[in-house]
Amino acid sequence: MQIRDLPYPDPGIPDARSGPRFLLWLGRKQLGGQLKALAWGLVHFTGIGGLSVGAGLAVQAVVDRSGGRLALAGGLIALFGAAIAIGDTMLHRSAVTNWITAAARLQQLLARKTAELGSALTRRVAAGEVVAVSTGDVEKIGWFVEALSRFFAAAIAIVMICLGLVLYLPELGTLVAIGVPVLALAVLPLLPRATQRADIQREKAGKATELASDTVAGLRVLRGIGGEELFLGRYRAASQEVRKAAVRSARMWSLISAIQVLLPGVMLMSVIWYGARLALDGRIEVGGLVTVYSAVTLLLFPLRHFEEIAMAYSFSRPSAKRAARVLSLERTTYEDERGGLDDARPTGDLYDPATGLLAPAGLLTVVVCGDPDAAGRLAERLGGHAAEEEKSPSVLLGGVALDDLPLDAARASVLVQDKDPVLLSGTLTDLLDIPASGAVDPEKALTAAQCADVLDALAQASVDGSGDPMRSRITERGRSLSGGQRQRLALARSLVTDPEVLVLDEPTSAVDSHTEARIAQGVKELRAGRTTVVFASSPLLLDHADRVVFIPEGEVAAVGVHRELVRSDAAYRAVVTRETEQEQKQEHVMEPASLRAREEIEESA
């Protein structure tokens, strides 16, 4: 795989059972790139080892006054120098390719998982953790993948150089062969503590990122209630915790680095002292001493990769653990005797066995829950986005369980717009250019959603001066628009999609009553013949409903039309009209004539 071939046609199915297993899977998926980097690494390190041989032969040729051997040594030095240059260049190229392709694979996997889970993702995993995985963790995991092949190349080269020294000069080669493994393994006792400190640092950094994400998302609310400084202080405290943890982790790694410098220096001095004694005794030649000295000096370079791979693994392991946790999340499925269905999209009534909610096909059904959180959870269930901990039966569409449908078919059949819809940056044309049936024109959808004032505002803000609102740019998450404007544009986008079933959770909570009434009428007219479920308690929406379902405690308590339920059901009336307990008690003792008068007033309103 080359960088120019990205993205992958298929990033594969990851082994997300644990962080180490995910790293192993990622390494196996890039076996070709790893072997290529390993080969170039061997060329590079062989050149480093051979350079010491050439240097020793050159010194010995000068001592022996042999011009032929000096020329041969010069040729070897040039050859090994070229191997070092070419090998280092190609090793770096291959390693960086491995880093980028590994990061790209992980990002594709995360994007696929995000699309699969949709809004359920941030309910199962904190938003800050998702951000950490898709940014910093990708870097750490890519670093480990990139360093892995260089480490294996360095390990093989060290073994080959030590064996060569033992065969070339057993007296000094044996000392080097014993000392090098000691150097490589000397830091192992410190690695668990260093890894633990790195884990603590990553955990604190993830919490700080999560806090920052929540603070930014709620900045407007925080300013409104005067809590901006409070949360800023909390983020400062979290940042200081991250700094302290990073300092503690850096101290341990600096100690490991100091050991990696000290012990090789001790070994090098030992080799020089012992080799000089052997040379003075005439047991080895000067050229042999130079060869061993050069080899030991150059061995310090591949030895650094042992420290690097330890650091890379220590930093990437918690990152891989977080990535595996996200990638292991699955859409809740329930198997039955049908054993799954094909890509056909079912039609018919929408029914939730858990609550008893029935939304007949082709009608506008408004659901009143009383509890906004319960309404949001039920709306997500109707779209097949049930929370992971829920074990209730799947919602049925036309008698077919949504969890039995392929994901694409389920998403195309039932579209859920939550109470806080997200607008992506881009032009209004881009916003409405989405997969749709083609039956609903964008202009009709904008009209039904009462977006005339939004279009005027976008026309005035047109960057190119054309005055065309469809070409005006919407900022990230629609922050340049008011809450009501964002809500109406999101509603227009949902209407353009024209799904078999459209579920709207409080679609008019941020608009005024006059606009709300027009939106209710426009949606009902545009969605005629289509199934629409709206979660709301506004009388203006309820009055346009073909069917009203009251679910106060997780189960259907009443079904009918708004005006009948207001008369007959006190609990429903209390939720819709916001009555207090005292007002409910007074309602029971009101005279029949007064009751009728009040009902007439409510109907006229």
Side-chain angles (χ1 to χ4, degrees):
M1 173 63 68
Q2 300 294 325
I3 296 177
R4 63 173 173 269
D5 299 324
L6 295 175
Y8 291 97
D10 179 15
I13 306 298
D15 185 351
R17 288 176 290 177
S18 66
R21 287 179 181 272
F22 176 69
L23 289 175
L24 180 61
W25 175 85
L26 201 59
R28 288 202 309 267
K29 294 297 289 186
Q30 296 188 221
L31 186 59
Q34 295 288 352
L35 292 177
K36 184 184 294 185
L38 175 62
W40 286 116
L42 290 176
V43 171
H44 173 58
F45 292 121
T46 300
I48 291 177
L51 198 63
S52 61
V53 176
L57 290 177
V59 171
Q60 192 60 43
V62 171
V63 172
D64 296 339
R65 299 180 181 275
S66 173
R69 281 189 293 162
L70 183 60
L72 175 63
L76 287 175
I77 291 175
L79 177 63
F80 288 124
I84 292 174
I86 296 174
D88 188 28
T89 301
M90 298 306 297
L91 171 62
H92 179 73
R93 179 187 179 94
S94 302
V96 171
T97 300
N98 288 335
W99 187 98
I100 294 175
T101 51
R105 187 186 299 275
L106 177 54
Q107 287 176 331
Q108 279 187 253
L109 291 171
L110 291 171
R112 185 174 67 183
K113 183 60 63 175
T114 302
E116 176 185 339
L117 295 176
S119 59
L121 176 62
T122 52
R123 291 200 306 273
R124 302 186 192 182
V125 181
E129 187 168 348
V130 177
V131 172
V133 171
S134 59
T135 53
D137 288 339
V138 168
E139 258 185 66
K140 302 300 182 298
I141 293 172
W143 177 27
F144 175 75
V145 172
E146 176 255 347
L148 195 60
S149 55
R150 290 191 285 111
F151 163 72
F152 281 121
I156 294 173
I158 288 173
V159 171
M160 292 173 59
I161 292 173
C162 289
L163 288 177
L165 290 176
V166 170
L167 295 176
Y168 178 62
L169 280 176
E171 296 87 350
L172 287 178
T174 304
L175 177 62
V176 175
I178 295 174
V180 168
V182 173
L183 297 181
L185 303 177
V187 297
L188 282 182
L190 299 177
L191 288 181
R193 182 174 296 180
T195 302
Q196 181 183 16
R197 292 188 178 185
D199 290 349
I200 294 174
Q201 177 194 352
R202 295 296 164 196
E203 180 182 356
K204 291 183 179 296
K207 291 181 179 179
T209 303
E210 180 181 345
L211 179 60
S213 176
D214 292 342
T215 303
V216 171
L219 189 59
R220 181 176 296 181
V221 177
L222 291 176
R223 287 175 174 171
I225 63 176
E228 187 176 359
E229 287 299 324
L230 174 63
F231 275 82
L232 186 59
R234 291 181 182 178
Y235 182 71
R236 285 197 187 103
S239 298
Q240 289 301 314
E241 291 292 327
V242 175
R243 182 188 63 80
K244 292 176 183 177
V247 170
R248 293 185 72 248
S249 178
R251 285 173 180 168
M252 184 57 64
W253 287 113
S254 64
L255 176 60
I256 292 175
S257 298
I259 292 174
Q260 290 287 332
V261 173
L262 175 64
L263 293 184
V266 172
M267 190 185 77
L268 184 60
M269 288 188 293
S270 300
V271 168
I272 294 174
W273 176 79
Y274 185 56
R277 300 243 347 217
L278 292 177
L280 290 174
D281 293 342
R283 296 169 60 183
I284 62 172
E285 296 179 339
V286 176
L289 176 60
V290 172
T291 298
V292 175
Y293 168 76
S294 301
V296 173
T297 303
L298 295 174
L299 272 176
L300 301 182
F301 177 71
L303 274 173
R304 293 176 186 170
H305 292 283
F306 284 77
E307 177 190 354
E308 181 187 11
I309 196 64
M311 291 183 65
Y313 181 72
S314 298
F315 280 92
S316 66
R317 189 174 62 85
S319 297
K321 181 180 178 181
R322 277 196 294 268
R325 182 189 173 197
V326 174
L327 296 176
S328 64
L329 297 175
E330 296 291 342
R331 180 170 174 251
T332 305
T333 57
Y334 302 90
E335 297 296 336
D336 60 15
E337 63 275 8
R338 285 189 294 266
L341 300 171
D342 56 19
D343 290 338
R345 298 177 185 176
T347 58
D349 298 342
L350 185 70
Y351 176 67
D352 178 26
T355 60
L357 170 62
L358 174 66
L363 298 183
L364 171 60
T365 301
V366 179
V367 182
V368 179
C369 289
D371 181 2
D373 293 333
R377 290 191 296 269
L378 181 53
E380 296 294 343
R381 270 186 49 75
L382 294 181
H385 302 277
E388 188 175 16
E389 62 272 9
E390 289 190 21
K391 300 301 180 184
S392 52
S394 173
V395 172
L396 305 178
L397 177 59
V400 177
L402 287 182
D403 288 330
D404 287 340
L405 290 174
L407 185 62
D408 293 344
R411 293 293 182 267
S413 299
V414 182
L415 173 64
V416 178
Q417 176 182 307
D418 60 25
K419 64 187 65 178
D420 187 22
V422 175
L423 300 182
L424 302 180
S425 60
T427 64
L428 187 54
T429 300
D430 297 333
L431 178 70
L432 301 179
D433 184 16
I434 53 177
S437 66
V440 177
D441 185 82
E443 292 185 4
K444 293 182 179 179
L446 291 168
T447 301
Q450 299 298 310
C451 294
D453 63 317
V454 185
L455 297 178
D456 292 340
L458 290 175
Q460 294 176 4
S462 176
V463 177
D464 57 7
S466 63
D468 184 1
M470 303 301 291
R471 297 174 60 182
S472 296
R473 188 165 186 82
I474 300 172
T475 58
E476 179 188 3
R477 300 180 67 90
R479 298 188 188 281
S480 59
L481 304 172
S482 67
Q485 290 174 328
R486 288 198 302 270
Q487 207 170 51
R488 283 176 284 162
L489 285 180
L491 176 59
R493 178 179 60 187
S494 299
L495 293 174
V496 167
T497 305
D498 189 35
E500 180 66 27
V501 178
L502 176 60
V503 180
L504 304 172
D505 185 9
E506 296 287 353
T508 58
S509 60
V511 301
D512 60 79
S513 57
H514 297 290
T515 305
E516 185 179 33
R518 292 195 296 268
I519 289 175
Q521 182 64 34
V523 170
K524 184 173 183 178
E525 293 176 356
L526 192 63
R527 292 284 299 173
R530 290 289 206 179
T531 307
T532 307
V533 181
V534 180
F535 286 82
S537 58
S538 168
L540 295 173
L541 282 172
L542 292 166
D543 204 40
H544 286 83
D546 299 314
R547 176 185 174 92
V548 176
V549 181
F550 181 43
I551 308 179
E553 299 293 339
E555 292 185 0
V556 173
V559 179
V561 296
H562 171 57
R563 300 193 179 193
E564 291 179 357
L565 291 177
V566 167
R567 295 190 187 99
S568 61
D569 195 307
Y572 173 82
R573 182 169 58 251
V575 172
V576 173
T577 61
R578 310 296 194 274
E579 285 183 347
T580 64
E581 293 184 5
Q582 184 176 0
E583 290 173 335
Q584 293 182 48
K585 292 178 181 179
Q586 293 176 355
E587 189 74 31
H588 290 296
V589 298
M590 289 178 63
E591 294 291 333
S594 299
L595 179 59
R596 286 194 299 271
R598 175 173 176 172
E599 291 173 354
E600 291 175 359
I601 293 173
E602 289 179 348
E603 290 177 6
S604 63

